[in-house]
Amino acid sequence: KELFSYESVLVTAAGHPLAKIDWLTPQDLKHETLIHYPVPKEKLDVFKHFLMPANISPNERLSEMTLMMLQLVESRKGVCVLPKWLLATLPEFQHLPTLRLGTQGLWSKLYAAIHEDAENKAYISAFIDKIKQEMQNT
């Protein structure tokens, strides 16, 4: 079941040259170090829908933890792409500039996998409705 749509944004250190741009093209990341989770690039929207179609391959640095990723960005070790809603839950990193990827942004959908036996259970529907409501408020 679809839960919600969300925008992923590029996060930079304060004062980073890219932070002055309203929105980014794939070429803007060509010489950057992109910090990302250690999963195949084809599973990350920034690669699959933004960089790969433009044949852009920035330098890469892996991080398994979001907080470590943001600490690396803050210390000018690279940039990262994260969901905008996730950043809203981390007030200690709200000072970091975020930038739109492309003129319309990089949008994705989050889904909940539900076992067919639980699909019509009231508590499952209530849980999904609660998530949708919370995300509309974020």
Side-chain angles (χ1 to χ4, degrees):
K1 268 195 172 219
E2 183 179 326
L3 294 176
F4 57 89
S5 295
Y6 64 92
E7 183 180 10
S8 291
V9 293
L10 185 85
V11 185
T12 70
H16 190 287
L18 290 178
K20 299 174 187 166
I21 300 173
D22 291 332
W23 54 270
L24 301 169
T25 67
Q27 290 75 16
D28 292 323
L29 300 181
K30 186 175 188 174
H31 300 293
E32 296 295 325
T33 297
L34 183 60
I35 304 163
H36 63 85
Y37 299 111
V39 298
K41 288 190 258 190
E42 300 79 30
K43 293 188 178 249
L44 296 172
D45 288 342
V46 67
F47 284 101
K48 184 176 180 180
H49 300 295
F50 191 68
L51 296 170
M52 287 178 169
N55 202 29
I56 299 294
S57 298
N59 295 320
E60 298 175 45
R61 183 170 187 163
L62 303 180
S63 175
E64 292 188 11
M65 297 173 30
T66 303
L67 292 178
M68 180 61 72
M69 204 179 289
L70 289 166
Q71 289 171 346
L72 288 167
V73 168
E74 189 173 43
S75 62
R76 300 182 175 274
K77 303 283 193 256
V79 298
C80 70
V81 173
L82 292 170
K84 201 173 190 178
W85 66 264
L86 174 64
L87 294 167
T89 68
L90 302 168
E92 63 272 29
F93 294 103
Q94 301 258 322
H95 65 284
L96 295 176
T98 60
L99 302 143
R100 179 164 268 184
L101 296 164
T103 57
Q104 303 300 310
L106 180 61
W107 290 86
S108 301
K109 291 182 181 181
L110 192 63
Y111 295 88
I114 303 167
H115 193 279
E116 62 186 32
D117 294 341
E119 190 170 5
N120 296 319
K121 303 279 185 188
Y123 67 92
I124 297 289
S125 294
F127 177 70
I128 288 172
D129 290 343
K130 179 70 172 167
I131 291 172
K132 287 180 179 181
Q133 179 184 3
E134 287 296 318
M135 292 314 297
Q136 286 177 353
N137 297 333
T138 300

